Amino acid sequence: MKKHVIILLFAVVLLPSCMNEPAMQPNTYQGNFEALWQIIDTKYCYLDYKHINWDSIRTAYKPRVDTIKNEYAFLDLMGSMLFELKDGHVNLFSDFNETRYWKWFQDYPANFSSSLIYNNRYLGDNYLIAGGFQYAKIDNGHIGYMYYEDFMNAFSDSNIAYMMKYFDQCKGLIIDVRDNGGGSLDYSKQLASYFFKVETVTGYMRHKTGDGHSDFSSPVEIRTPASKNIQWQRPVVVLTNRMSFSATNDFVNRMKQSPLGIIVGDKTGGGGGLPLSSELPNGWLVRFSSSPMYNADMQSTEWGIDPDVKVSLNATDEANGYDTIIERAITLIK
Amino acid sequence: MKKFQFLSLIILFSSAIKAQNSDEKKILLTSNANTFGVSTINLLDPYLSPLTYSGFGISYEHENRRFLSTEKTNISTQGKMNMEASYNLNPQSTSSMMFLGVNYSWGMHYHFRPAKGLQLLAGGLWDADFGFKEVPRNINNPVSLDLATNLNLSGVAMFDVRLRKKTFRLQLELQTPILGYMFVPLNGASYYEMFELGNMTNTFHVSSLHNKRGVKSSFTIDVPSNRSVWCFGLNFMNVRYSANDLVFVRNELSLVVGTTFDTANFAGRKNKVPKNFISTNE
């Protein structure tokens, strides 16, 4: 009995040591550098996938921290280090600025001009607006055209039902998600559901389970349901460019599996890693890709999704008021 | 002879009084306490941030205690409902965290009465705990939920002090979780993956001393005034639990004030309102 009591007391005293919170780095330039480096080292999901030697990056940047004179320079230096990840989902937010990597679209042709889609051949002046969509009939009423610029814009089944009714005499539908930088994955799923007849596995997701660069959970299926209320049964063309990123990338990935969907335009910008956030001792917020997403063939979508039909904006067409990518979509539907 | 008649009358009268007293139904009273508190709080939720957030909160607590029956005046039941809200900031005040918590507990205590005016209570409480933490600045991990149920060891010491014709009650209450079940989010996974894609693997854990330890304590003093009894006190809470490589900590110190009062409950066919009570139902 006495032995049992001693063991119990021993356990009670020792076990809490398993529950000590991890030590925080001090709020100094070096401490914040270490904290940021460790967050990326243990939580960022693409270090191995992108063949990034994060240890050597630490070696390269750490000595430069000692030369830092103020917060602005420190943010710039940390931004440069994060730049090495080549990830649009990685940002460092301070109270005065935020770092960002934009080369995923800046180094590519825009393939989108808002002045073109608002000319009378497309949306014109009298387009309709519902649930974040701007929509109109184009090509003499034969084609439905919807421009959706932000997956943060909420829409409902009712919004979509009215749009589908408005387009009920059209031969096909164009959904333009060019320059749509993403937003909610729920809206991505909901929008895609109108173009599926049966629930379909359209991708997979994993998350980091340990500090190792390749410590991941088993893949979890990402399913796209078929909407019970609304079904579009004719061709649907999704227009993409490099600024189709994040949740838009997810939408395009889903639509790749739609039996009615055709992807037209440029390769999407990617952003296949669902980002999470953490904080540094100085209170800055870091956003980073945490959960990699894959297509139905377990291929990463981080670097973007190739269109079914690659089309670029033609300068001559643009000068004449034509959007080459929309025109190609019209031809494909016809 | 007259003496004998007088004595008989006294005996009869006194036995009638005794019979009358023994016929009087004993009524169980429920001791209630309603308190409001202001608190300082420290929260560490590494799913939301590696930084400890600190702030101020407000709380409301209702507690009731009664004996099991009129015969068993050494076993009491206790119910407690606690609600609180707090607003917290990270150490650099660059981000805020809102916390909403609700805890309901119910249990029993055995009463020991080692000395006059002193009661020691020992027993157990079952509780259900819900907490909602939100860091609006976060991206895809803005919310963390506390969901847990626990069996707790509980001890109470009550000491009545007579001072200036008034009885002041000092009460010390201690509670510690020993066994339970809790939800802990997956480290590194989003709520989208857990709730939307349904990956709840390894999110529910049995809790015991190996992964959850803590103490909730309160020290109160009941001060009678003319028509009410005021309750002043200090509550302290330190709870930490761990699962999925995450360690969660909650420290809280509250100053509480409220009132305590006794009530009698009448309901049903067998427990009707006595005739000398007036009810709005009649």
Side-chain angles (χ1 to χ4, degrees):
Chain A
M1 182 64 188
K2 194 177 172 185
K3 189 179 169 187
H4 288 137
V5 171
I6 290 169
I7 290 170
L8 184 66
L9 287 173
F10 186 71
V12 167
V13 171
L14 280 190
L15 285 173
S17 62
C18 308
M19 289 196 286
N20 289 336
E21 54 268 44
M24 277 300 295
Q25 295 287 343
N27 184 17
T28 59
Y29 289 136
Q30 279 293 352
N32 283 292
F33 168 81
E34 288 295 340
L36 179 61
W37 185 87
Q38 282 170 14
I39 287 168
I40 298 300
D41 186 50
T42 56
K43 296 178 185 293
Y44 183 69
C45 67
Y46 288 128
L47 289 173
D48 278 358
Y49 175 74
K50 294 181 178 178
H51 307 294
I52 295 168
N53 187 335
W54 196 236
D55 288 326
S56 66
I57 286 172
R58 181 176 185 272
T59 306
Y61 281 85
K62 188 173 168 58
R64 293 165 64 182
V65 176
D66 292 330
T67 65
I68 292 298
K69 299 281 189 250
N70 58 52
E71 286 184 296
Y72 297 92
F74 184 60
L75 184 73
D76 286 344
L77 182 64
M78 295 300 95
S80 302
M81 184 171 80
L82 296 176
F83 213 71
E84 308 274 2
L85 301 172
K86 297 181 172 57
D87 190 332
H89 270 153
V90 175
N91 307 87
L92 186 59
F93 299 85
S94 72
D95 283 344
F96 52 87
N97 197 6
E98 62 184 67
T99 69
R100 64 270 178 186
Y101 175 80
W102 280 353
K103 284 192 172 291
W104 48 274
F105 69 90
Q106 283 177 334
D107 286 355
Y108 298 85
N111 282 318
F112 180 76
S113 166
S114 59
S115 62
L116 279 180
I117 66 164
Y118 291 109
N119 79 27
N120 288 332
R121 184 168 172 75
Y122 308 115
L123 285 176
D125 293 328
N126 296 318
Y127 58 87
L128 306 177
I129 303 173
F133 290 88
Q134 298 167 12
Y135 63 105
K137 290 175 191 166
I138 62 173
D139 192 44
N140 297 320
H142 294 126
I143 308 284
Y145 175 81
M146 303 160 69
Y147 180 61
Y148 189 46
E149 64 180 349
D150 193 340
F151 267 98
M152 287 304 285
N153 292 336
F155 59 88
S156 64
D157 276 359
S158 178
N159 295 138
I160 301 296
Y162 272 105
M163 283 184 248
M164 298 293 181
K165 192 175 176 188
Y166 180 70
F167 293 139
D168 65 355
Q169 298 300 315
C170 295
K171 291 178 182 171
L173 183 62
I174 296 170
I175 302 177
D176 194 341
V177 290
R178 290 177 295 173
D179 274 26
N180 183 330
S184 164
L185 289 174
D186 289 330
Y187 295 147
S188 156
K189 181 177 81 171
Q190 186 181 343
L191 184 56
S193 73
Y194 304 120
F195 307 100
F196 280 80
K197 291 176 182 170
V198 291
E199 187 176 69
T200 307
V201 175
T202 48
Y204 296 89
M205 177 185 275
R206 302 200 293 181
H207 66 264
K208 286 293 303 289
T209 54
D211 292 349
H213 295 176
S214 290
D215 292 345
F216 289 106
S217 62
S218 301
V220 178
E221 289 179 349
I222 298 173
R223 291 174 170 269
T224 301
S227 171
K228 291 174 184 168
N229 304 319
I230 304 162
Q231 287 281 309
W232 179 261
Q233 303 285 2
R234 279 162 270 173
V236 54
V237 176
V238 178
L239 307 188
T240 56
N241 67 350
R242 285 294 295 176
M243 279 197 73
S244 304
F245 187 73
S246 192
T248 311
N249 197 57
D250 176 69
F251 171 70
V252 174
N253 179 51
R254 291 173 191 267
M255 290 302 289
K256 270 269 193 184
Q257 300 296 315
S258 166
L260 304 162
I262 308 168
I263 314 299
V264 175
D266 199 358
K267 186 175 186 171
T268 62
L274 187 77
L276 293 181
S277 52
S278 188
E279 288 182 299
L280 305 187
N282 63 2
W284 292 357
L285 181 94
V286 56
R287 179 175 86 147
F288 55 89
S289 297
S290 171
S291 302
M293 291 193 279
Y294 306 86
N295 66 14
D297 299 323
M298 267 310 279
Q299 299 301 307
S300 173
T301 57
E302 168 64 359
W303 293 128
I305 297 165
D306 287 316
D308 297 315
V309 180
K310 184 165 171 59
V311 183
S312 299
L313 217 56
N314 179 294
T316 312
D317 285 349
E318 193 173 350
N320 292 323
Y322 289 95
D323 185 312
T324 319
I325 298 172
I326 297 178
E327 294 300 322
R328 186 61 183 276
I330 293 170
T331 309
L332 285 165
I333 290 171
K334 283 181 170 176
Chain B
M1 185 61 189
K2 276 185 180 176
K3 224 177 198 177
F4 176 74
Q5 282 178 334
F6 180 70
L7 199 66
S8 303
L9 275 171
I10 288 175
I11 291 166
L12 276 171
F13 185 70
S14 59
S15 62
I17 290 171
K18 197 175 176 184
Q20 209 175 354
N21 283 345
S22 63
D23 284 348
E24 252 182 37
K25 191 182 167 188
K26 288 185 176 175
I27 294 170
L28 274 181
L29 290 179
T30 304
S31 302
N32 299 277
N34 286 320
T35 53
F36 293 89
V38 289
S39 54
T40 62
I41 185 168
N42 293 320
L43 287 168
L44 173 64
D45 185 326
Y47 181 78
L48 296 172
S49 169
L51 306 180
T52 298
Y53 280 61
S54 306
F56 293 94
I58 53 171
S59 63
Y60 164 76
E61 185 170 281
H62 173 79
E63 180 183 326
N64 58 66
R65 181 181 289 131
R66 61 181 290 177
F67 287 117
L68 265 188
S69 71
T70 50
E71 316 306 320
K72 294 181 179 172
T73 55
N74 51 7
I75 299 178
S76 64
T77 64
Q78 179 186 307
K80 197 185 275 190
M81 169 72 87
N82 179 288
M83 291 180 280
E84 68 174 289
S86 69
Y87 182 78
N88 311 283
L89 295 170
N90 68 4
Q92 306 301 325
S93 301
T94 59
S95 177
S96 64
M97 177 193 288
M98 185 183 68
F99 172 72
L100 298 172
V102 178
N103 181 280
Y104 175 77
S105 65
W106 187 91
M108 291 188 185
H109 289 102
Y110 189 88
H111 291 236
F112 299 93
R113 296 177 177 88
K116 192 183 174 187
L118 175 65
Q119 287 191 69
L120 299 176
L121 283 63
L125 296 170
W126 160 82
D127 78 10
D129 196 53
F130 171 79
F132 174 90
K133 284 168 270 185
E134 183 186 28
V135 176
R137 186 173 76 151
N138 279 8
I139 297 149
N140 287 324
N141 57 334
V143 167
S144 180
L145 295 177
D146 296 337
L147 297 171
T149 182
N150 304 286
L151 279 173
N152 303 275
L153 279 180
S154 171
V156 184
M158 292 189 279
F159 185 53
D160 293 334
V161 181
R162 190 98 180 125
L163 203 67
R164 292 187 179 182
K165 295 181 183 175
K166 289 180 178 178
T167 303
F168 296 82
R169 167 162 287 187
L170 307 175
Q171 180 169 307
L172 177 67
E173 205 169 333
L174 292 167
Q175 189 181 316
T176 184
I178 51 169
L179 189 68
Y181 200 55
M182 61 183 179
F183 166 81
V184 175
L186 294 169
N187 190 6
S190 61
Y191 270 51
Y192 176 82
E193 182 179 337
M194 286 182 271
F195 290 97
E196 183 71 25
L197 303 183
N199 185 14
M200 301 291 282
T201 314
N202 219 26
T203 52
F204 285 93
H205 300 261
V206 171
S207 64
S208 66
L209 292 175
H210 76 287
N211 62 357
K212 185 168 194 173
R213 280 177 62 84
V215 62
K216 285 183 193 176
S217 61
S218 73
F219 176 74
T220 56
I221 178 167
D222 292 351
V223 180
S225 64
N226 286 343
R227 290 184 176 275
S228 57
V229 178
W230 288 90
C231 171
F232 303 94
L234 208 57
N235 292 351
F236 171 73
M237 175 197 276
N238 171 263
V239 178
R240 62 176 58 215
Y241 57 96
S242 169
N244 297 337
D245 299 324
L246 300 168
V247 179
F248 298 78
V249 181
R250 179 175 163 193
N251 289 319
E252 203 171 326
L253 183 67
S254 309
L255 203 61
V256 298
V257 61
T259 58
T260 66
F261 53 94
D262 289 343
T263 55
N265 301 319
F266 302 105
R269 281 187 296 119
K270 292 181 179 175
N271 190 19
K272 286 183 179 174
V273 180
K275 287 179 181 171
N276 54 330
F277 281 65
I278 299 170
S279 164
T280 54
N281 294 325
E282 293 168 1

